[in-house]
Amino acid sequence: MTTQPRYRHAAYGGQTRVLENDTLRVEVHRRTTGWGWAEIVAPDGTLLAVLDHLGELCLRDSPVPLRLEATEVTGTGPELVFDVRSAVVADALRDTSFASWIGSPFTGPALTGRVVLTLDPDGARLRLDYRLESQQDLYLRYLRGPWLRVGEGSFGAERDDAILPGVEWTAGHEWTSGTDWFRDPWAMRVTPHRNTVAVPVMAVSRGGTAVALSWEPDQDCTGWFSMPREHPQPVFAAPNLVERRDGSLLGLMLPEARDGSGDGWHADPPLELHRGQRIELTAVVSVVPGRSLDAVTDWVARHGLPEPPAPRWPIEETLHRIAEAVTTRLWHDGRGYGTAQTETDPFRSAPLFAAAYLERFPDGPHARRMREQLASLAPEPEPGTEALLTEGRELLGQQRPDGSFGFEPDGRHLVKDDFLVARDLVAPMGQAGDTALDLSMTPAIRLFELAERTGERAFADGARRALDACLSLYRPEGGDYWETPLHAPNLLAAGHAAVAYELGFRAFGDQRYRERTTHWLRSLLAFTHLWEPRGMPMAYNTKPCLCSSDWYFANWVRDHVQWEVLTTFALAVEHGIDLAAADPLIDWRRYQEGVTWAAVRWLLDHRDDTWRPHNLPDTLESYRQGRFDMCLPDTHNATTGLYGGMAIMPDIVAINLLDLLPKRG
């Protein structure tokens, strides 16, 4: 039966083949010139996306892009096979009015090969395999593989949200590559450097359905002799600003971006191909119930979390190395523990992991020295009950009638002046009175703590109102408000929310809170590297947020930060809650192990010379002397593999390592 296509930007040749199961229908159509393009249809008949072609190349020396098409289609069951060749301009213009004044230098196809479409019999997934070969020596502006126009011909650019993990998470009418959270030139992220992509899947959702495209990020797609290998380059635009069309774009292409400019959908200089050069590319289109985060979670559930990084040292040795650093290089007689990077740096009267370390290793190699140091300092006084009651009442006084907490950039949130400078120099990163997830979650956690310590029921009730006020929120925002746009996607907010809602579930037994724990935990996946390019270890590195600091001064799509994700699990340890119990779909214990050993991989060793300070250049000499060895660097650059920022006390790493130790019987 011939199905009349709904896509109006292809010349229908009157033939259609269908791949179909209970969850998805793929209608593959023939153009007047050959097979094909495909329409991806939901069981209810909604046109979800259009696969515009079986491949398209743009040559430096051709007047028009050339589609890959097939004269026949073969295959049985869930598989369709297309033996494709690229269009030949000279053939298309022969015997037309153009023949006398346009001369193409190519007399045969530039590329030939095979494209196979395979529908998973048991799921809403379509696999695309490209095996191509160059027939001539060519200069290629691009070669497009999967080119998915989501919403085209149906709901257009309307969407609930869109995610490219590690790069983008937009909601509603926000644009990917928009300037909501960045200023140019960092704003353009249509073709991001592949190292900045945290999970190789991109998705757009609308009305309870997410369309996703995933790929093998380290696949060697092509290469010639000693020339650089090419890997799949994601192209992500919602709305489709690349082609300026009414829809969203999920695509893969060659060549890959070599820098972070983000607008490289035409290669300059072009990619050099040679006769006989082979090109391979594999991808999967998935349709998942829910929103874009559900598509990311689906990918993780199907592929599993990667193996945690190999331990740099055995776990107990790592803890003793941290203890050695803390009790020697990071100890300052009469002042306490600290990095002492500036004259105003605070000192601690006890390392955050000291009590747990001394309990686990009472006779450890550094235990005696740590005890002596702790005894030499006046302990930080514990606030009395009245002080705790006063703190709780002040928090309740800041709470708004709906239960949320508002942004006070000139008041209680003025811990740094970054957003004041940004407001005056460029634009506000958040307006006074705005609210965001983390602005309510951090006081909720504190109110739960105060309720437990004072027995004051009103504090727990206030925390509950804060949780209820945020039940409808979906994207984590607000965690790094002191230097980033308030409503930008943020990992720290997700972590705080997971802990806050699990505390709420423990206190009140409300199943809605457990569901929100699960959601906010899964939000961490959008910020976490679950693959790594060969030769650059970065598995389980995390992005703090998908935005820039102060609009211009740090790019958090390019840079990783590890302390924030470790804080989530350290908070859970502090409160005696098991986050892994909230979500059996994902192995969160393995995740914690992964992010912790990734942090150990970061720990500084001046002999490696992999770190440079950012806003404290004078500390470079201290680093070279080894004073910061075993400290956690603030940032890791995903494109260079180098570390930077400040040197951070390694306490948070040790807390997680102690939690990962097997429990003693």
Side-chain angles (χ1 to χ4, degrees):
M1 180 181 69
T2 300
T3 302
Q4 184 65 36
R6 282 177 277 183
Y7 185 50
R8 312 309 294 171
H9 292 277
Y12 184 44
Q15 291 178 274
T16 296
R17 292 286 299 270
V18 176
L19 296 173
E20 188 172 21
N21 61 24
D22 293 339
T23 58
L24 197 65
R25 179 180 174 90
V26 181
E27 301 170 357
V28 186
H29 305 293
R30 180 187 175 98
R31 283 184 166 90
T32 55
T33 51
W35 299 87
W37 88 90
E39 298 183 357
I40 298 174
V41 183
D44 66 359
T46 301
L47 176 58
L48 298 174
V50 173
L51 187 68
D52 186 53
H53 46 65
L54 298 175
E56 182 181 87
L57 60 153
C58 179
L59 300 175
R60 185 193 64 181
D61 302 313
S62 178
V64 294
L66 310 173
R67 288 191 300 270
L68 297 175
E69 295 181 338
T71 57
E72 302 292 338
V73 56
T74 59
T76 57
E79 182 177 275
L80 296 177
V81 179
F82 303 87
D83 290 319
V84 297
R85 68 198 301 268
S86 60
V88 180
V89 173
D91 292 348
L93 300 184
R94 187 176 295 117
D95 300 325
T96 71
S97 59
F98 292 90
S100 63
W101 62 280
I102 294 181
S104 172
F106 301 105
T107 58
L111 293 180
T112 62
R114 174 168 287 186
V115 178
V116 180
L117 306 185
T118 307
L119 182 63
D120 186 335
D122 302 316
R125 290 183 289 275
L126 178 70
R127 181 181 173 94
L128 301 96
D129 287 289
Y130 298 76
R131 300 294 182 267
L132 309 173
E133 185 173 317
S134 175
Q135 298 301 310
Q136 308 191 39
D137 289 350
L138 306 169
Y139 289 98
L140 199 66
R141 299 294 307 282
Y142 65 69
L143 171 60
R144 293 174 176 171
W147 203 252
L148 207 62
R149 292 174 174 168
V150 180
E152 177 126 1
S154 54
F155 50 85
E158 289 295 321
R159 61 199 181 281
D160 295 328
D161 72 342
I163 290 180
L164 175 56
V167 179
E168 297 270 21
W169 187 347
T170 61
H173 291 283
E174 296 167 356
W175 284 47
T176 61
S177 292
T179 55
D180 297 280
W181 326 126
F182 291 86
R183 288 290 183 262
D184 289 324
W186 286 345
M188 187 60 71
R189 301 180 301 285
V190 172
T191 52
H193 193 291
R194 74 186 186 108
N195 289 12
T196 65
V197 176
V199 186
V201 58
M202 46 186 153
V204 174
S205 74
R206 177 185 179 272
T209 298
V211 179
L213 180 65
S214 59
W215 65 99
E216 299 173 12
D218 222 24
Q219 181 180 16
D220 283 335
C221 295
T222 193
W224 189 257
F225 290 102
S226 59
M227 295 170 68
R229 301 291 189 264
E230 295 293 337
H231 307 93
Q233 172 60 52
V235 185
F236 186 62
N240 185 354
L241 60 98
V242 172
E243 300 167 309
R244 299 175 299 284
R245 302 180 69 91
D246 185 24
S248 299
L249 176 63
L250 311 179
L252 296 175
M253 61 165 280
L254 297 176
E256 66 180 282
R258 300 295 178 182
D259 58 34
S261 64
D263 59 355
W265 52 88
H266 289 85
D268 185 17
L271 173 64
E272 190 176 324
L273 291 183
H274 295 269
R275 186 175 183 177
Q277 186 166 339
R278 296 183 179 182
I279 303 162
E280 299 179 349
L281 181 63
T282 302
V284 175
V285 177
S286 302
V287 177
V288 178
R291 300 180 72 169
S292 296
L293 181 61
D294 296 295
V296 176
T297 304
D298 173 73
W299 186 93
V300 176
R302 287 188 292 111
H303 290 81
L305 292 171
E307 285 288 333
R312 192 171 173 182
W313 308 283
I315 188 168
E316 293 193 7
E317 179 183 342
T318 306
L319 283 162
H320 295 324
R321 282 174 176 264
I322 292 174
E324 187 271 338
V326 167
T327 56
T328 56
R329 297 181 293 279
L330 302 175
W331 163 255
H332 304 271
D333 286 335
R335 304 174 74 184
Y337 301 92
T339 58
Q341 291 169 93
T342 70
E343 289 297 324
T344 59
D345 269 6
F347 291 88
R348 300 175 185 167
S349 58
L352 299 179
F353 73 105
Y357 175 79
L358 292 173
E359 180 181 357
R360 187 62 188 261
F361 303 107
D363 300 316
H366 310 290
R368 178 179 177 181
R369 183 165 52 204
M370 186 179 289
R371 287 195 196 91
E372 291 173 349
Q373 291 170 351
L374 295 174
S376 72
L377 294 171
E380 295 179 1
E382 286 286 331
T385 301
E386 191 56 42
L388 296 175
L389 289 170
T390 299
E391 180 187 356
R393 290 165 186 153
E394 288 177 352
L395 279 175
L396 294 181
Q398 296 161 0
Q399 193 169 25
R400 305 195 297 195
D402 68 352
S404 67
F405 288 78
F407 185 43
E408 299 177 19
D410 293 299
R412 62 192 178 93
H413 292 119
L414 186 56
V415 294
K416 292 175 66 180
D417 61 3
D418 297 46
F419 48 76
L420 300 182
V421 174
R423 177 191 66 191
D424 297 339
L425 188 63
V426 184
M429 293 191 296
Q431 296 287 354
D434 283 359
T435 191
L437 179 71
D438 201 64
L439 299 184
S440 295
M441 293 299 98
T442 47
I445 292 171
R446 185 56 179 160
L447 285 168
F448 277 126
E449 293 170 347
L450 293 171
E452 184 175 353
R453 295 180 65 180
T454 65
E456 184 67 34
R457 179 74 183 184
F459 297 160
D461 291 340
R464 187 172 196 172
R465 290 197 303 275
L467 299 183
D468 289 345
C470 297
L471 280 172
S472 63
L473 299 182
Y474 183 80
R475 183 176 64 183
E477 301 174 1
D480 289 86
Y481 66 83
W482 50 85
E483 64 179 46
T484 65
L486 184 65
H487 297 292
N490 185 275
L491 177 148
L492 192 59
H496 283 156
V499 171
Y501 276 101
E502 192 63 9
L503 289 172
F505 178 70
R506 184 171 71 180
F508 300 108
D510 190 327
Q511 190 60 37
R512 297 176 304 166
Y513 297 163
R514 169 55 67 86
E515 291 169 358
R516 300 317 290 163
T517 301
T518 301
H519 170 76
W520 296 121
L521 267 178
R522 292 178 180 180
S523 296
L524 297 176
L525 299 174
F527 303 89
T528 307
H529 261 267
L530 300 182
W531 76 283
E532 61 187 17
R534 285 189 294 272
M536 186 177 290
M538 64 170 69
Y540 288 103
N541 285 2
T542 59
K543 305 286 179 65
C545 42
L546 307 181
C547 58
S548 61
S549 290
D550 312 320
W551 298 118
Y552 284 108
F553 296 115
N555 181 344
W556 298 119
V557 160
R558 181 194 63 197
D559 293 339
H560 300 118
V561 165
Q562 207 69 4
W563 68 264
E564 293 190 355
V565 71
L566 298 177
T567 295
T568 295
F569 295 95
L571 265 176
V573 170
E574 179 183 348
H575 290 283
I577 57 178
D578 180 11
L579 291 176
D583 184 20
L585 181 65
I586 305 297
D587 187 347
W588 290 105
R589 190 67 173 172
R590 184 180 207 184
Y591 178 92
Q592 181 188 7
E593 184 181 355
V595 298
T596 303
W597 283 116
V600 173
R601 181 176 62 213
W602 287 40
L603 296 178
L604 292 176
D605 183 338
H606 73 282
R607 294 167 297 184
D608 297 336
D609 196 26
T610 57
W611 175 85
R612 289 291 182 273
H614 171 51
N615 55 344
L616 300 170
D618 291 344
T619 59
L620 179 59
E621 189 56 37
S622 296
Y623 167 66
R624 287 173 170 164
Q625 294 169 2
R627 281 178 45 196
F628 301 145
D629 283 0
M630 294 300 291
C631 284
L632 181 68
D634 189 21
T635 69
H636 173 268
N637 188 306
T639 60
T640 67
L642 297 174
Y643 297 93
M646 301 179 67
I648 299 172
M649 289 282 289
D651 305 52
I652 199 72
V653 183
I655 291 170
N656 280 272
L657 286 170
L658 285 162
D659 187 54
L660 292 173
L661 277 172
K663 306 300 181 188
R664 286 179 173 166

